[in-house]
Amino acid sequence: MFNPWLTSALIWGSLCAGPSRGEVGTRECVYYNDNWRTERTNQSGLERCEGEKDKRLHCYASWLNSSGTIRLVKKGCWLDDFNCYDRQECVATEESPQVFFCCCEGNYCNERFTHLPDIVGPPGQLKIQPPRPAPSLLGVLVYSLLPLAILSLALVLACWTYHQRKPPYGHVDISEDPGPAPPSPHVGLKPLQLLEIKARGRFGCVWKAQLLSEYVAVKIFPIQDKQSWQNERDIYLTEGMRHENLLRFISAEKRGSNLQMELWLITEFHERGSLMDYLKGNVVNWAEMCHIAESMSRGLAYLHEDQPYRAEGPKPAIAHRDFKSKNVLVRTDLTAVIGDFGLAVRFEPGKPPGDTHGQVGTRRYMAPEVLEGAINFQRDAFLRIDMYALGLVLWELVSRCTAADGPVDEYLLPFEEEIGQHPSLEDLQDVVVHKKMRPVFKDCWLKHRGLGPLCETIEECWDHDAEARLSAGCVEERISQIARVTNSNNTTSDCLVSVVTSISDTDPPPKEAST
């Protein structure tokens, strides 16, 4: 495609130019830690950079600028980051972040750092210009061939667009801006570094990341799932969404542009992961099971609750619509935290609830009316769908509890024993709707003074008649009552019958519909 003389010139030019700037190696960086006493590290010195062979290494610096007073926060090595490629000087380019951050390539390149914002400051403001490098032969060749490269790229892009008229994921409106990132005290903080993928789901993947000295979870959506990102962000920003049993939201951000755009949700991180993952590898005793079940029910009850007279502002009732053990996280102390609100819907007085398409969620946890496609599109109907799924998750908890006499089986998903790990919609319709089957209770559970009443509560959660199901608040009260009675009567085996009788004779919270 190129003339012979042009090919020769390119080869000769590259030989004369020597190694490219992208090949500058980084082995050591200047190290500093302003928080060295708390983290028990050295305050300053040199840091040896180590990483995978196929990954680049960089140096970085972060600092604060308070009314012209510079306070250095950290310096050290930085793992492979395309934002640092070919930067020989540590220069922060953001206009006015809360924490300034720069990275560069080359040994000790972070010894000096500076701030040169991309936009032009107000008149009279001093702006230091970086030294202008001397033009090289390779640079001259690059600028000479740049128009030809742009033309070739345009042709390739035109061919690709022609063959990709219908993307595999359907129509995506990239002209519509997903909206500005919401206000948050953490937006714009640097550095935030993705460390490892912890989970993959229908709408993207979840990374463990580091935000300065804090671990956070970053849920990354591709642009085609913009609606789910936007919906989950709006749910988190709803008035009153701060609760100890709901996942704590930090910020939402947009990264990249056009088809390469990624939409990020940043939340608190829990090392134990989801309840499903925890139950796969661990059994729970009676006290642990009660704590998880009660805190999980409390979080769902708060989510469902309509609080029109809150001093801080009214909180609407919210239906989760994808409640399952994978969307319940577990703290270190085994407190349950509900997350993943991509399908959630709000019910605000005088406003339409938004997208209330009926058959959404995870198939295995769908209520009979959802599988039938016979949903009453009212608030209470959606809350009752969550209650059916809560019953299944409580069954998962009971199945891994060591309280009853008898062996504890390996973890199984609801209906996994009946229809396997990957049931079709028709399989579930046959089992749940037509045969009205539910996961099986073992005899030893029903005979246990605490598990027996809990199994009765679970049955009332997944009742085939949606209007007969318990509310989340009622489930929370019942679990609390069962835990109190069994703990206070945990003396001798002779009290087994009397304890079960006392629970049965005590007026339980009413069997109300979900509200």
Side-chain angles (χ1 to χ4, degrees):
M1 184 174 176
F2 297 110
N3 292 329
W5 65 269
L6 188 56
T7 304
S8 302
L10 278 172
I11 296 172
W12 179 77
S14 63
L15 290 172
C16 291
S20 67
R21 290 187 179 183
E23 296 173 352
V24 174
T26 304
R27 291 293 172 263
E28 285 190 339
C29 299
V30 177
Y31 174 82
Y32 180 82
N33 186 357
D34 187 53
N35 200 27
W36 63 279
R37 290 188 180 88
T38 304
E39 298 180 9
R40 296 183 179 179
T41 65
N42 294 333
Q43 182 179 17
S44 61
L46 299 178
E47 181 178 8
R48 185 75 176 176
C49 301
E50 297 180 355
E52 300 177 21
K53 291 184 178 179
D54 58 340
K55 301 291 185 180
R56 290 197 191 187
L57 299 172
H58 320 286
C59 300
Y60 82 95
S62 59
W63 68 95
L64 299 171
N65 187 343
S66 178
S67 302
T69 302
I70 304 298
R71 182 169 71 85
L72 186 59
V73 177
K74 279 191 176 182
K75 282 185 177 184
C77 296
W78 190 247
L79 299 181
D80 194 352
D81 189 336
F82 70 91
N83 293 308
C84 312
Y85 287 3
D86 304 329
R87 290 176 177 258
Q88 295 184 350
E89 296 179 347
C90 207
V91 179
T93 57
E94 292 187 55
E95 182 185 1
S96 56
Q98 288 178 296
V99 178
F100 291 85
F101 173 82
C102 67
C103 56
C104 55
E105 290 188 325
N107 293 331
Y108 321 120
C109 64
N110 63 336
E111 183 176 4
R112 296 186 178 184
F113 53 90
T114 186
H115 175 223
L116 294 175
D118 289 334
I119 66 171
V120 179
Q125 181 178 350
L126 179 62
K127 180 175 178 181
I128 304 172
Q129 297 292 336
R132 182 169 298 177
S136 65
L137 178 60
L138 182 59
V140 172
L141 286 172
V142 168
Y143 282 113
S144 302
L145 297 174
L146 190 59
L148 183 60
I150 292 174
L151 180 60
S152 302
L153 183 61
L155 289 173
V156 171
L157 186 60
C159 293
W160 180 84
T161 305
Y162 176 79
H163 289 290
Q164 300 289 329
R165 283 183 176 177
K166 187 176 182 181
Y169 46 77
H171 174 67
V172 176
D173 184 9
I174 61 172
S175 62
E176 181 186 348
D177 195 323
S184 167
H186 290 280
V187 170
L189 281 183
K190 298 289 184 178
L192 187 151
Q193 187 170 19
L194 301 179
L195 300 176
E196 60 175 315
I197 292 180
K198 303 297 289 187
R200 293 184 185 274
R202 176 172 53 247
F203 294 124
C205 57
V206 179
W207 284 78
K208 177 182 179 181
Q210 187 165 0
L211 182 63
L212 291 179
S213 60
E214 177 188 11
Y215 286 124
V216 296
V218 179
K219 188 175 180 182
I220 300 180
F221 299 74
I223 183 62
Q224 59 265 31
D225 292 323
K226 174 183 65 177
Q227 188 60 47
S228 179
W229 173 82
Q230 206 163 10
N231 187 69
E232 187 164 5
R233 180 198 69 181
D234 293 345
I235 293 292
Y236 275 123
L237 293 173
T238 302
E239 193 70 50
M241 273 296 285
R242 291 280 183 175
H243 189 268
E244 61 176 343
N245 301 119
L246 300 180
L247 187 62
R248 181 172 63 88
F249 172 74
I250 296 175
S251 73
E253 298 180 5
K254 296 181 292 181
R255 300 291 180 109
S257 59
N258 296 334
L259 288 175
Q260 282 71 47
M261 180 184 290
E262 290 181 342
L263 307 169
W264 288 18
L265 276 177
I266 305 172
T267 62
E268 62 180 338
F269 175 76
H270 297 292
E271 190 65 52
R272 288 189 187 273
S274 71
L275 177 60
M276 184 186 75
D277 293 331
Y278 184 76
L279 293 177
K280 280 182 180 179
N282 302 274
V283 293
V284 290
N285 60 33
W286 171 252
E288 291 170 340
M289 191 208 66
C290 288
H291 181 62
I292 295 173
E294 188 176 355
S295 57
M296 176 174 63
S297 304
R298 186 184 305 119
L300 190 60
Y302 182 81
L303 192 69
H304 285 181
E305 191 175 2
D306 182 11
Q307 298 181 348
Y309 304 113
R310 287 176 73 251
E312 302 85 355
K315 176 204 166 291
I318 299 175
H320 192 284
R321 297 209 298 168
D322 195 19
F323 191 82
K324 57 184 178 180
S325 55
K326 191 174 182 180
N327 289 339
V328 177
L329 301 174
V330 182
R331 287 200 177 107
T332 306
D333 64 354
L334 296 186
T335 300
V337 178
I338 300 173
D340 200 335
F341 299 101
L343 294 174
V345 61
R346 291 176 293 191
F347 298 94
E348 300 175 275
K351 294 183 181 180
D355 180 18
T356 53
H357 177 67
Q359 213 166 49
V360 299
T362 302
R363 197 175 292 160
R364 185 182 299 276
Y365 292 85
M366 285 182 179
E369 61 270 26
V370 179
L371 292 169
E372 281 187 294
I375 302 176
N376 175 12
F377 290 92
Q378 301 299 319
R379 184 195 73 169
D380 289 353
F382 284 101
L383 303 188
R384 291 165 186 150
I385 291 169
D386 284 349
M387 295 311 301
Y388 172 87
L390 175 63
L392 295 178
V393 177
L394 289 173
W395 176 87
E396 293 176 64
L397 258 176
V398 172
S399 72
R400 296 290 284 162
C401 183
T402 59
D405 294 330
V408 178
D409 294 335
E410 291 295 318
Y411 171 81
L412 289 175
L413 288 165
F415 303 110
E416 185 175 347
E417 192 170 12
E418 292 82 4
I419 48 180
Q421 291 191 345
H422 306 288
S424 65
L425 188 63
E426 292 74 19
D427 292 334
L428 283 159
Q429 286 172 338
D430 180 55
V431 168
V432 176
V433 179
H434 303 132
K435 296 180 180 178
K436 298 184 179 180
M437 293 174 61
R438 298 293 184 270
V440 178
F441 295 127
K442 288 186 175 182
D443 289 338
C444 61
W445 303 350
L446 300 174
K447 293 176 182 176
H448 186 269
R449 62 178 178 270
L451 291 177
L454 182 56
C455 289
E456 292 178 10
T457 299
I458 292 173
E459 283 187 315
E460 294 180 74
C461 286
W462 65 34
D463 198 299
H464 200 82
D465 180 4
E467 294 185 2
R469 293 174 197 153
L470 300 176
S471 69
C474 180
V475 173
E476 180 196 352
E477 289 180 26
R478 285 198 181 185
I479 294 173
S480 176
Q481 185 182 48
I482 292 169
R484 283 198 308 270
V485 173
T486 51
N487 289 337
S488 63
N489 288 274
N490 190 17
T491 54
T492 66
S493 59
D494 294 336
C495 70
L496 176 62
V497 176
S498 63
V499 170
V500 174
T501 305
S502 68
I503 295 174
S504 302
D505 292 342
T506 303
D507 291 334
K511 184 179 176 180
E512 60 190 60
S514 303
T515 54

